[in-house]
Each structure stands twice: as structure tokens, then as C-alpha cells.
Amino acid sequence: VQLQASGGGSVQPGGSLTLSCTDSGFTVDYYVIAWFRQAPGKAREWVSCFNRGDGSTYYADSVKGRFTISRDNAKNTVYLQMNSLKPEDTAVYYCAAVISTFVTLTTMKTPDPYKYWSQGTLVTVSS
């Protein structure tokens, strides 16, 4: 399994960016794709999840109402639409994947269960 993340960049506060995560190599369709981020000097933080099996979505409180996760099955790509960006959203963003039977609603919000990771893509929000 491989994950390819893209779409990072620099924006001003209040701006928008869309991150993409394209996966390949899965032989099942019941897996979870998550976005995590890591700011300098801070721990990796869960941002959002998409359950490929039932289409359910989940968001951290810090991004709820501003970020939207979605998937294009034809392109095997999960998108993270980020609106109303704030300086505190500045971080390296990673997408990660795990077979859904290996996580619960609690553990899907932690990095440990995720077996597959993308390279990071940097998002900088600054005026």
C-alpha cells in the first residue's frame, strides 16, 4: 500500500487549501484514511478521518466547521478541503491508512494504529 499526499502551500489567514491523498495497493475496501498534522515542536495531531467502508467522516474539534474530508472513489483519492485557515493550522500534514477492523472510534484518532503513511505536505498560514 502506498499513500501520496499533495496540495500544501502558503496562504494568508482566512484562505483555503485542498490537500489530496491518493492511495494504491489496497485489496479490501474497508479501511480508514486519516489526516494528521504536526507543528514544529509539537506532537502529531489527528485532524480528520474518512471511513472507506461506510463513508462516515470525523473531525477534530479544532477544525470542525472549517475542514471537509471527502473521497473520489474513481481516483482513489481523499481530499481535505481547508477553509478559514488560521495561523495555528500551520503544520506538516500527513495522510495515513489502516484497515478499519483494527481501529475503534477512539483509536482512529491516534497515530499508533495506522500502518501506512504518506510523506508530509507543508501548510503555512501567515500574513
Side-chain angles (χ1 to χ4, degrees), residues 41-53:
K42 294 188 176 181
R44 193 162 294 191
E45 175 191 23
W46 172 73
V47 176
S48 182
C49 281
F50 181 93
N51 188 321
R52 172 70 175 85

Side-chain angles (χ1 to χ4, degrees), residues 31-112:
Y31 53 91
V32 172
I33 297 286
W35 286 98
F36 288 84
R37 66 187 181 186
Q38 189 164 19
K42 294 188 176 181
R44 193 162 294 191
E45 175 191 23
W46 172 73
V47 176
S48 182
C49 281
F50 181 93
N51 188 321
R52 172 70 175 85
D54 61 12
S56 54
T57 59
Y58 306 88
Y59 299 94
D61 288 343
S62 59
V63 306
K64 199 171 294 182
R66 300 188 298 121
F67 291 11
T68 302
I69 193 168
S70 62
R71 178 175 174 87
D72 184 334
N73 287 332
K75 296 181 179 180
N76 284 347
T77 299
V78 168
Y79 302 98
L80 186 68
Q81 173 69 43
M82 306 185 294
N83 299 326
S84 303
L85 282 162
K86 304 175 180 180
E88 51 264 42
D89 295 317
T90 295
V92 177
Y93 284 70
Y94 303 86
C95 62
V98 64
I99 302 299
S100 59
T101 53
F102 294 150
V103 290
T104 65
L105 288 177
T106 298
T107 61
M108 69 165 56
K109 301 174 184 178
T110 64
D112 289 344

